[in-house]
Amino acid sequence: MKILLIELKDTSTGWTLEKTEFDSLTLLVGASGVGKTRILRVIQWLVDVAEGKWFNGLSWRLEFYSNKGNHYIWSGEFEGVMTVRKPTLVSEKIYEGDKLLVDRNPQKTWFDGKDIAVKLAADKSGPQNEFCVCYGKPVKTG
């Protein structure tokens, strides 16, 4: 996977990573306190979201090339709640090139042009949900 762009906002802390573009990045260099570790944390947060974890008030946009060279854009947002309950995933979209593959909100899940009956856990995103996309088709896993 080659990351092209990351944007992230954490409304629970007020912290924002403005649109950050990567070219042929292999090394983060900078003075102390300029954000090198924060960029690595943001990448880890997005890995965590993809694995089904949730973050209060988090919104993101990640643009990347897969190992096969396919261009993807993944964006989403968790609600900001000031309680101990898990926040609901407000929206999640995945594009392959210009084609919308997944469009998800608390009311519906749309995959590759069709509403799908699989109900995803409202507080999770990514492959730890009750389905995963395997070879272009939603497959129930839970």
Side-chain angles (χ1 to χ4, degrees), residues 6-62:
I6 297 176
E7 291 180 80
L8 185 128
K9 183 172 186 179
D10 180 355
T11 59
S12 69
T13 64
W15 190 85
T16 299
L17 176 64
E18 300 292 335
K19 181 178 174 181
T20 303
E21 297 183 46
F22 301 93
D23 193 13
S24 296
L25 178 72
T26 56
L27 182 66
L28 289 173
V29 178
S32 180
V34 297
K36 300 177 300 294
T37 302
R38 182 60 84 165
I39 288 171
L40 295 175
R41 272 197 202 119
V42 164
I43 293 168
Q44 182 59 56
W45 288 348
L46 293 177
V47 169
D48 290 345
V49 168
E51 291 177 346
K53 295 180 182 165
W54 53 270
F55 292 89
N56 186 28
L58 190 73
S59 62
W60 70 91
R61 180 170 182 257
L62 175 68

Side-chain angles (χ1 to χ4, degrees), residues 22-135:
F22 301 93
D23 193 13
S24 296
L25 178 72
T26 56
L27 182 66
L28 289 173
V29 178
S32 180
V34 297
K36 300 177 300 294
T37 302
R38 182 60 84 165
I39 288 171
L40 295 175
R41 272 197 202 119
V42 164
I43 293 168
Q44 182 59 56
W45 288 348
L46 293 177
V47 169
D48 290 345
V49 168
E51 291 177 346
K53 295 180 182 165
W54 53 270
F55 292 89
N56 186 28
L58 190 73
S59 62
W60 70 91
R61 180 170 182 257
L62 175 68
E63 190 171 332
F64 63 95
Y65 283 116
S66 69
N67 292 339
K68 293 184 178 183
N70 298 335
H71 180 245
Y72 290 95
I73 300 172
W74 175 42
S75 63
E77 176 182 3
F78 286 104
E79 70 178 336
V81 292
M82 302 312 275
T83 65
V84 294
R85 75 171 174 81
K86 292 180 180 179
T88 298
L89 186 70
V90 174
S91 69
E92 181 176 34
K93 293 184 181 199
I94 302 173
Y95 289 86
E96 181 179 22
D98 292 333
K99 181 182 178 184
L100 181 62
L101 293 178
V102 175
D103 186 359
R104 183 174 155 216
N105 63 49
Q107 290 75 40
K108 70 172 178 81
T109 299
W110 183 90
F111 175 79
D112 202 19
K114 301 175 193 91
D115 283 328
I116 58 174
V118 177
K119 179 65 178 158
L120 303 177
D123 62 338
K124 293 188 177 172
S125 171
Q128 295 300 312
N129 256 302
E130 297 165 7
F131 96 104
C132 69
V133 177
C134 301
Y135 303 105

